[in-house]
Amino acid sequence: MSLALLPHLLFQIIEVTGVRMTINYGLNRLRFPAPVPVGSRVRLGAVLAAVEDVRGGVECQLDCQVEIEGAEKPALAAEVLFRYYV
């Protein structure tokens, strides 16, 4: 469920304009350090870690963590890759 929420949460905190196409290119280093108890509140933290030129656009790496309110460990940690084409 934490992974299924990731795209929804990401598009609430980032906005990319002026691109023709956006592709979810995949994930690196996906981990689930802690379970999410039923009824818990979660939030997403994301950092733009890298931007690399690719033919016709750029590839961005976002380091993401789905945090559980009041918990020591995150529910999910992953490097998310998007490609943006202009």
Side-chain angles (χ1 to χ4, degrees):
M1 182 64 153
S2 304
L3 183 57
L5 287 173
L6 193 57
H8 173 72
L9 295 172
L10 265 173
F11 291 121
Q12 288 184 12
I13 64 171
I14 64 170
E15 180 180 2
V16 178
T17 59
V19 296
R20 179 177 47 88
M21 180 172 42
T22 302
I23 295 176
N24 180 342
Y25 201 63
L27 301 167
N28 291 332
R29 295 183 168 179
L30 174 61
R31 297 175 303 159
F32 297 97
V36 180
V38 173
S40 295
R41 292 170 33 121
V42 297
R43 69 177 178 186
L44 176 68
V47 174
L48 180 61
V51 177
E52 182 179 320
D53 286 329
V54 294
R55 195 167 100 195
V58 295
E59 181 176 289
C60 297
Q61 176 187 320
L62 298 165
D63 289 349
C64 298
Q65 285 195 347
V66 174
E67 302 166 348
I68 307 164
E69 185 175 58
E72 190 175 307
K73 293 182 181 179
L76 176 148
E79 295 173 357
V80 180
L81 303 175
F82 282 100
R83 285 197 172 181
Y84 300 100
Y85 293 96
V86 290

